Amino acid sequence: MTLIKSISGIRGTIGGKPEEGLNPPAVVKFTAGYAAFLRSRFPGTARRVVVGRDARLSGEMVHSLVTGTLTGMGFDVVDIGMATTPTTELAVVAERAAGGLILTASHNPRQWNALKLLNERGEFLNAQEGQEVLQLAEAEDFTFAGIDALGKVIVDSRYKERHIESILKLEQVDREAIRAARFRVAIDCVNSVGGTVLPDLLYALGVKELFKLHCNPHGNFAHNPEPLPEHLTEISGLMTQARADVGFAVDPDVDRLAIVCENGQMFGEEYTLVAVADYILSHTPGATVSNLSSSRALRDVARRYGCSSYAAAVGEVNVVAKMKETGAVIGGEGNGGVIYPASHYGRDALVGIALFLTHLAKKKMTVSELRASYPSYFMSKQKIELTPEIDVDAILEKVKAKFAGHEITDIDGLKIDFPDRWVHLRKSNTEPIIRIYSEAPAKAEADALGSELIQIISSSL
């Protein structure tokens, strides 16, 4: 059993003793800590919190505990039911709520769940705010409301439709171009909430025909829910069988988007953001932002349009902060996460689908041809395991000194940029390892660069 308490929320497995997983006592404690945090931010004002969840088997149990705790703390709960993470983010703003809770463990397997915490802007809490919630929860520094101050639950099941309507109204979403292209689209929604919204969105956009895999939101994931190539073999096979033009796969809470080419090949999760950015920059020039571990292809595309590209520390909240600082018109992460400020500041696979289909329709080419039009890079993801007593920061400083003659970025671990490749080292927040991401023009070169850094680190131990 596992319970991980971090600034981005509380996640864990279901079952075991009270402190061994995300079990009822832990759910109540951390929800109450979050409510106490909101109360301190909005004293004496109307208290309203939005709650949405994905289709996990534990969802109803966790949902009951969360809504009961929030009302017990004196907050009114706007219960939007089964909803995507971006839908919940939009609902927080629409409801003028103090915050929001998303009950999802994102791409984690079925035995996991999590409490993801939002601020009043529908964005994830920053590091300082998250730490405050953890401290309040651990100290049990909260007081439940008396009988006359209990909150109530307001059920509102209309936010799926509102989210779709907001996407259709985006200036750069061209429904007529999509309809004229008569796309045949395959989708894999891993038996979670995406199955309730992707079909409605795609039909509203005007696709000709839809081929659905795992769209029944019962929470028994048909395969590993992280949308990586090795988990998407079924939709890959479906593409040629159905003669589909494009395939889309999402994770259980629909904030990550993987694209499949018409020939069954993966477009590449790193290139979801690259393609969407290409389209947006062609109409709205401006800055782009991704995290340090994302592909250099985004920078290359931005330069085609004479635009700047910035890197942020890993984590959606850090990318959003950098986007606001630079006034970026598009941003996100190389895991298939697209953040489009014209919609909202959150990763949104639904917005990504609408923009990608518009781009594809206007380009009048196949998905594989579109992919071939972008700079080709290959990424390697490795790690080196360490004993807990090893000083990871000291090791990174030694590596930094060794490569002092190269471009160094140290806002999040250590990234070393070479003329045609890069490597990023960062320590894990949850286990004694160093993650090593490297990118180069060939897979063997990326692997070799990562292995070289592993050797250098090993020699320092």
mmCIF file of all heavy atoms in Angstrom, residues 311-343:
data_model
loop_
_atom_site.group_PDB
_atom_site.id
_atom_site.type_symbol
_atom_site.label_atom_id
_atom_site.label_comp_id
_atom_site.label_asym_id
_atom_site.label_seq_id
_atom_site.Cartn_x
_atom_site.Cartn_y
_atom_site.Cartn_z
ATOM 1 N N ALA A 311 11.700 27.517 -21.336
ATOM 2 C CA ALA A 311 11.609 26.259 -20.590
ATOM 3 C C ALA A 311 11.308 26.553 -19.130
ATOM 4 O O ALA A 311 11.850 27.497 -18.544
ATOM 5 C CB ALA A 311 12.902 25.468 -20.712
ATOM 6 N N ALA A 312 10.443 25.731 -18.542
ATOM 7 C CA ALA A 312 10.088 25.851 -17.132
ATOM 8 C C ALA A 312 10.499 24.583 -16.399
ATOM 9 O O ALA A 312 10.768 23.549 -17.014
ATOM 10 C CB ALA A 312 8.573 26.066 -16.994
ATOM 11 N N ALA A 313 10.540 24.665 -15.087
ATOM 12 C CA ALA A 313 10.746 23.471 -14.282
ATOM 13 C C ALA A 313 9.620 22.477 -14.554
ATOM 14 O O ALA A 313 8.517 22.853 -14.972
ATOM 15 C CB ALA A 313 10.786 23.836 -12.796
ATOM 16 N N VAL A 314 9.897 21.191 -14.348
ATOM 17 C CA VAL A 314 8.899 20.158 -14.592
ATOM 18 C C VAL A 314 7.707 20.352 -13.653
ATOM 19 O O VAL A 314 7.864 20.675 -12.487
ATOM 20 C CB VAL A 314 9.523 18.762 -14.406
ATOM 21 C CG1 VAL A 314 8.453 17.677 -14.496
ATOM 22 C CG2 VAL A 314 10.611 18.525 -15.460
ATOM 23 N N GLY A 315 6.517 20.157 -14.174
ATOM 24 C CA GLY A 315 5.295 20.335 -13.390
ATOM 25 C C GLY A 315 4.387 21.357 -14.030
ATOM 26 O O GLY A 315 4.833 22.443 -14.419
ATOM 27 N N GLU A 316 3.100 21.019 -14.142
ATOM 28 C CA GLU A 316 2.158 21.906 -14.818
ATOM 29 C C GLU A 316 2.117 23.288 -14.193
ATOM 30 O O GLU A 316 2.056 24.295 -14.896
ATOM 31 C CB GLU A 316 0.758 21.276 -14.793
ATOM 32 C CG GLU A 316 -0.292 22.112 -15.496
ATOM 33 C CD GLU A 316 -1.644 21.433 -15.565
ATOM 34 O OE1 GLU A 316 -1.691 20.196 -15.615
ATOM 35 O OE2 GLU A 316 -2.665 22.147 -15.567
ATOM 36 N N VAL A 317 2.154 23.365 -12.864
ATOM 37 C CA VAL A 317 2.063 24.667 -12.202
ATOM 38 C C VAL A 317 3.241 25.552 -12.587
ATOM 39 O O VAL A 317 3.096 26.775 -12.736
ATOM 40 C CB VAL A 317 1.972 24.494 -10.669
ATOM 41 C CG1 VAL A 317 3.243 23.897 -10.082
ATOM 42 C CG2 VAL A 317 1.651 25.819 -9.991
ATOM 43 N N ASN A 318 4.411 24.949 -12.807
ATOM 44 C CA ASN A 318 5.593 25.722 -13.204
ATOM 45 C C ASN A 318 5.486 26.190 -14.650
ATOM 46 O O ASN A 318 5.892 27.309 -14.984
ATOM 47 C CB ASN A 318 6.850 24.871 -13.015
ATOM 48 C CG ASN A 318 7.066 24.478 -11.574
ATOM 49 O OD1 ASN A 318 6.939 25.289 -10.666
ATOM 50 N ND2 ASN A 318 7.382 23.211 -11.343
ATOM 51 N N VAL A 319 4.953 25.341 -15.516
ATOM 52 C CA VAL A 319 4.757 25.728 -16.916
ATOM 53 C C VAL A 319 3.761 26.883 -17.010
ATOM 54 O O VAL A 319 3.978 27.858 -17.734
ATOM 55 C CB VAL A 319 4.278 24.523 -17.754
ATOM 56 C CG1 VAL A 319 3.924 24.961 -19.169
ATOM 57 C CG2 VAL A 319 5.354 23.442 -17.792
ATOM 58 N N VAL A 320 2.672 26.794 -16.255
ATOM 59 C CA VAL A 320 1.662 27.858 -16.269
ATOM 60 C C VAL A 320 2.261 29.174 -15.782
ATOM 61 O O VAL A 320 2.021 30.236 -16.374
ATOM 62 C CB VAL A 320 0.444 27.459 -15.413
ATOM 63 C CG1 VAL A 320 -0.464 28.662 -15.164
ATOM 64 C CG2 VAL A 320 -0.338 26.344 -16.105
ATOM 65 N N ALA A 321 3.041 29.117 -14.713
ATOM 66 C CA ALA A 321 3.661 30.338 -14.191
ATOM 67 C C ALA A 321 4.567 30.984 -15.245
ATOM 68 O O ALA A 321 4.563 32.211 -15.418
ATOM 69 C CB ALA A 321 4.460 30.021 -12.926
ATOM 70 N N LYS A 322 5.340 30.171 -15.961
ATOM 71 C CA LYS A 322 6.238 30.706 -16.996
ATOM 72 C C LYS A 322 5.441 31.239 -18.172
ATOM 73 O O LYS A 322 5.818 32.258 -18.783
ATOM 74 C CB LYS A 322 7.191 29.595 -17.466
ATOM 75 C CG LYS A 322 8.350 30.105 -18.314
ATOM 76 C CD LYS A 322 9.313 30.940 -17.468
ATOM 77 C CE LYS A 322 10.554 31.347 -18.233
ATOM 78 N NZ LYS A 322 11.476 32.169 -17.432
ATOM 79 N N MET A 323 4.323 30.596 -18.499
ATOM 80 C CA MET A 323 3.482 31.094 -19.586
ATOM 81 C C MET A 323 2.918 32.470 -19.261
ATOM 82 O O MET A 323 2.886 33.362 -20.118
ATOM 83 C CB MET A 323 2.355 30.105 -19.867
ATOM 84 C CG MET A 323 2.808 28.798 -20.499
ATOM 85 S SD MET A 323 1.439 27.629 -20.785
ATOM 86 C CE MET A 323 0.564 28.485 -22.111
ATOM 87 N N LYS A 324 2.485 32.650 -18.031
ATOM 88 C CA LYS A 324 1.956 33.953 -17.626
ATOM 89 C C LYS A 324 3.062 35.007 -17.630
ATOM 90 O O LYS A 324 2.850 36.147 -18.062
ATOM 91 C CB LYS A 324 1.316 33.851 -16.250
ATOM 92 C CG LYS A 324 0.029 33.037 -16.226
ATOM 93 C CD LYS A 324 -0.572 32.993 -14.826
ATOM 94 C CE LYS A 324 -1.888 32.250 -14.809
ATOM 95 N NZ LYS A 324 -2.491 32.211 -13.459
ATOM 96 N N GLU A 325 4.238 34.621 -17.171
ATOM 97 C CA GLU A 325 5.370 35.552 -17.114
ATOM 98 C C GLU A 325 5.773 36.028 -18.505
ATOM 99 O O GLU A 325 6.113 37.201 -18.706
ATOM 100 C CB GLU A 325 6.563 34.851 -16.444
ATOM 101 C CG GLU A 325 7.847 35.652 -16.424
ATOM 102 C CD GLU A 325 9.036 34.819 -15.993
ATOM 103 O OE1 GLU A 325 8.851 33.880 -15.188
ATOM 104 O OE2 GLU A 325 10.157 35.090 -16.470
ATOM 105 N N THR A 326 5.728 35.132 -19.495
ATOM 106 C CA THR A 326 6.200 35.453 -20.847
ATOM 107 C C THR A 326 5.070 35.825 -21.794
ATOM 108 O O THR A 326 5.330 36.179 -22.951
ATOM 109 C CB THR A 326 6.954 34.247 -21.435
ATOM 110 O OG1 THR A 326 6.074 33.110 -21.488
ATOM 111 C CG2 THR A 326 8.178 33.902 -20.594
ATOM 112 N N GLY A 327 3.829 35.730 -21.339
ATOM 113 C CA GLY A 327 2.698 36.005 -22.211
ATOM 114 C C GLY A 327 2.558 34.989 -23.326
ATOM 115 O O GLY A 327 2.113 35.313 -24.438
ATOM 116 N N ALA A 328 2.914 33.737 -23.063
ATOM 117 C CA ALA A 328 2.918 32.696 -24.088
ATOM 118 C C ALA A 328 1.520 32.458 -24.658
ATOM 119 O O ALA A 328 0.525 32.504 -23.933
ATOM 120 C CB ALA A 328 3.467 31.397 -23.511
ATOM 121 N N VAL A 329 1.467 32.188 -25.955
ATOM 122 C CA VAL A 329 0.181 31.922 -26.615
ATOM 123 C C VAL A 329 -0.143 30.434 -26.624
ATOM 124 O O VAL A 329 -1.289 30.039 -26.864
ATOM 125 C CB VAL A 329 0.159 32.466 -28.055
ATOM 126 C CG1 VAL A 329 0.300 33.981 -28.049
ATOM 127 C CG2 VAL A 329 1.261 31.825 -28.912
ATOM 128 N N ILE A 330 0.851 29.595 -26.354
ATOM 129 C CA ILE A 330 0.645 28.144 -26.309
ATOM 130 C C ILE A 330 1.763 27.552 -25.452
ATOM 131 O O ILE A 330 2.865 28.092 -25.390
ATOM 132 C CB ILE A 330 0.637 27.515 -27.729
ATOM 133 C CG1 ILE A 330 0.219 26.051 -27.689
ATOM 134 C CG2 ILE A 330 1.986 27.699 -28.405
ATOM 135 C CD1 ILE A 330 -1.247 25.820 -27.394
ATOM 136 N N GLY A 331 1.462 26.464 -24.785
ATOM 137 C CA GLY A 331 2.472 25.816 -23.962
ATOM 138 C C GLY A 331 1.990 24.451 -23.537
ATOM 139 O O GLY A 331 0.933 23.977 -23.946
ATOM 140 N N GLY A 332 2.791 23.814 -22.692
ATOM 141 C CA GLY A 332 2.400 22.503 -22.206
ATOM 142 C C GLY A 332 3.595 21.657 -21.865
ATOM 143 O O GLY A 332 4.684 22.163 -21.576
ATOM 144 N N GLU A 333 3.394 20.347 -21.921
ATOM 145 C CA GLU A 333 4.444 19.400 -21.548
ATOM 146 C C GLU A 333 4.541 18.315 -22.607
ATOM 147 O O GLU A 333 3.569 18.029 -23.323
ATOM 148 C CB GLU A 333 4.142 18.803 -20.181
ATOM 149 C CG GLU A 333 4.092 19.848 -19.075
ATOM 150 C CD GLU A 333 3.776 19.243 -17.711
ATOM 151 O OE1 GLU A 333 2.640 18.777 -17.518
ATOM 152 O OE2 GLU A 333 4.663 19.247 -16.863
ATOM 153 N N GLY A 334 5.708 17.681 -22.655
ATOM 154 C CA GLY A 334 5.955 16.671 -23.664
ATOM 155 C C GLY A 334 5.280 15.341 -23.410
ATOM 156 O O GLY A 334 5.556 14.368 -24.113
ATOM 157 N N ASN A 335 4.415 15.267 -22.432
ATOM 158 C CA ASN A 335 3.662 14.035 -22.169
ATOM 159 C C ASN A 335 2.300 14.053 -22.870
ATOM 160 O O ASN A 335 1.414 13.277 -22.536
ATOM 161 C CB ASN A 335 3.480 13.824 -20.672
ATOM 162 C CG ASN A 335 2.766 14.980 -19.993
ATOM 163 O OD1 ASN A 335 2.244 15.883 -20.653
ATOM 164 N ND2 ASN A 335 2.735 14.964 -18.673
ATOM 165 N N GLY A 336 2.138 14.935 -23.849
ATOM 166 C CA GLY A 336 0.857 15.064 -24.529
ATOM 167 C C GLY A 336 -0.048 16.095 -23.901
ATOM 168 O O GLY A 336 -1.244 16.128 -24.182
ATOM 169 N N GLY A 337 0.514 16.963 -23.058
ATOM 170 C CA GLY A 337 -0.275 17.981 -22.367
ATOM 171 C C GLY A 337 -0.245 19.311 -23.106
ATOM 172 O O GLY A 337 0.825 19.902 -23.279
ATOM 173 N N VAL A 338 -1.412 19.784 -23.546
ATOM 174 C CA VAL A 338 -1.527 21.058 -24.265
ATOM 175 C C VAL A 338 -2.228 22.079 -23.374
ATOM 176 O O VAL A 338 -3.314 21.815 -22.856
ATOM 177 C CB VAL A 338 -2.342 20.876 -25.570
ATOM 178 C CG1 VAL A 338 -2.598 22.226 -26.236
ATOM 179 C CG2 VAL A 338 -1.612 19.932 -26.529
ATOM 180 N N ILE A 339 -1.598 23.241 -23.189
ATOM 181 C CA ILE A 339 -2.185 24.333 -22.412
ATOM 182 C C ILE A 339 -2.390 25.517 -23.355
ATOM 183 O O ILE A 339 -1.421 26.085 -23.878
ATOM 184 C CB ILE A 339 -1.272 24.737 -21.236
ATOM 185 C CG1 ILE A 339 -1.007 23.537 -20.327
ATOM 186 C CG2 ILE A 339 -1.913 25.874 -20.434
ATOM 187 C CD1 ILE A 339 0.019 23.799 -19.231
ATOM 188 N N TYR A 340 -3.638 25.883 -23.558
ATOM 189 C CA TYR A 340 -3.986 26.954 -24.496
ATOM 190 C C TYR A 340 -4.690 28.063 -23.724
ATOM 191 O O TYR A 340 -5.874 27.946 -23.384
ATOM 192 C CB TYR A 340 -4.887 26.401 -25.597
ATOM 193 C CG TYR A 340 -5.217 27.374 -26.702
ATOM 194 C CD1 TYR A 340 -4.257 28.228 -27.231
ATOM 195 C CD2 TYR A 340 -6.503 27.414 -27.243
ATOM 196 C CE1 TYR A 340 -4.565 29.107 -28.252
ATOM 197 C CE2 TYR A 340 -6.819 28.286 -28.274
ATOM 198 C CZ TYR A 340 -5.843 29.140 -28.769
ATOM 199 O OH TYR A 340 -6.144 30.008 -29.792
ATOM 200 N N PRO A 341 -3.992 29.160 -23.419
ATOM 201 C CA PRO A 341 -4.559 30.209 -22.571
ATOM 202 C C PRO A 341 -5.857 30.811 -23.081
ATOM 203 O O PRO A 341 -6.661 31.299 -22.285
ATOM 204 C CB PRO A 341 -3.443 31.265 -22.531
ATOM 205 C CG PRO A 341 -2.196 30.523 -22.842
ATOM 206 C CD PRO A 341 -2.596 29.443 -23.793
ATOM 207 N N ALA A 342 -6.090 30.786 -24.396
ATOM 208 C CA ALA A 342 -7.345 31.319 -24.924
ATOM 209 C C ALA A 342 -8.538 30.534 -24.397
ATOM 210 O O ALA A 342 -9.665 31.039 -24.373
ATOM 211 C CB ALA A 342 -7.333 31.283 -26.450
ATOM 212 N N SER A 343 -8.285 29.304 -23.951
ATOM 213 C CA SER A 343 -9.324 28.495 -23.305
ATOM 214 C C SER A 343 -9.183 28.595 -21.794
ATOM 215 O O SER A 343 -10.041 29.132 -21.110
ATOM 216 C CB SER A 343 -9.218 27.035 -23.759
ATOM 217 O OG SER A 343 -10.136 26.218 -23.059
#
